[in-house]
Amino acid sequence: MNREEWEKIEEKKRFLRGYIAGKRREQLILDQIQKLRFDATCPEIKGYDGMPGGSGGDSDLSDYFSKIEELEEKLEAERLAAVKEYEKIYQAIKDIDDPDQEEALRRYYILREKWDEIPKKIGWSRSKTFRIYDEALKKIKIPEKRN
């Protein structure tokens, strides 16, 4: 494989990983929301005792809820972006005319299965799985970007 072919394959992999990256960003936001909720429900951990003249108080709590609301809006936007990316990737995989190649790509890039699991679930050898995957990468087409 020459450098140009390798670069095309890498570009296709980046495209196919778009959904996985979106799901990771989504999970990161969810983790942030959970941490803020935990901190808001356990103020004593952060040193907010709620006593008059003490640190913390209502404004600190409202800051938490404001930040949580902001993150929830980001989460919704990220989920929408992930769904749109999923649809593009799903269609590109579906357009491959070989069901085995479709399955290999779908299991890895959409279902996020590990390479050790895929051959076992499909009933192929590991080498056959990678051969089918490599052929699928050569065939898949990245959709044109629309403005």
Side-chain angles (χ1 to χ4, degrees):
M1 178 183 308
N2 65 38
R3 178 129 179 107
E4 186 178 325
E5 290 171 329
W6 180 82
E7 286 174 356
K8 284 181 182 178
I9 294 294
E10 289 304 309
E11 181 182 0
K12 291 176 180 185
K13 287 179 183 179
R14 278 190 299 277
F15 163 71
L16 290 165
R17 285 190 297 258
Y19 176 65
I20 294 169
K23 295 305 281 182
R24 283 187 183 141
R25 288 188 302 270
E26 185 181 314
Q27 187 59 51
L28 181 61
I29 294 169
L30 278 170
D31 292 347
Q32 289 174 301
I33 291 169
Q34 276 186 316
K35 179 164 179 6
L36 281 172
R37 283 188 176 144
F38 179 77
D39 289 349
T41 58
C42 299
E44 64 278 357
I45 292 173
K46 292 296 228 180
Y48 304 129
D49 58 10
M51 296 298 291
S55 63
D58 292 340
S59 69
D60 292 328
L61 213 47
S62 66
D63 289 346
Y64 274 117
F65 291 118
S66 175
K67 184 64 177 171
I68 289 170
E69 189 174 301
E70 179 185 319
L71 285 170
E72 286 174 339
E73 289 172 10
K74 285 182 181 179
L75 178 61
E76 281 307 308
E78 198 59 59
R79 283 182 172 157
L80 180 60
V83 167
K84 288 179 180 179
E85 198 65 26
Y86 170 89
E87 289 171 346
K88 287 191 291 187
I89 294 166
Y90 183 87
Q91 190 59 50
I93 291 172
K94 189 176 175 204
D95 289 344
I96 295 175
D97 62 351
D98 184 296
D100 290 342
Q101 293 172 358
E102 286 179 43
E103 185 171 7
L105 292 180
R106 190 168 288 118
R107 286 187 177 279
Y108 187 67
Y109 290 107
I110 300 225
L111 299 177
R112 300 162 44 182
E113 293 178 1
K114 305 284 183 227
W115 281 119
D116 292 338
E117 299 168 5
I118 295 171
K120 293 174 189 170
K121 288 185 176 182
I122 300 174
W124 300 334
S125 69
R126 192 171 170 84
S127 61
K128 180 179 179 180
T129 302
F130 283 116
R131 192 170 48 253
I132 289 170
Y133 170 77
D134 289 341
E135 288 301 313
L137 285 176
K138 291 175 188 173
K139 279 186 180 180
I140 197 164
K141 295 183 180 10
I142 298 174
E144 299 283 325
K145 290 184 180 177
R146 294 184 228 163
N147 293 332

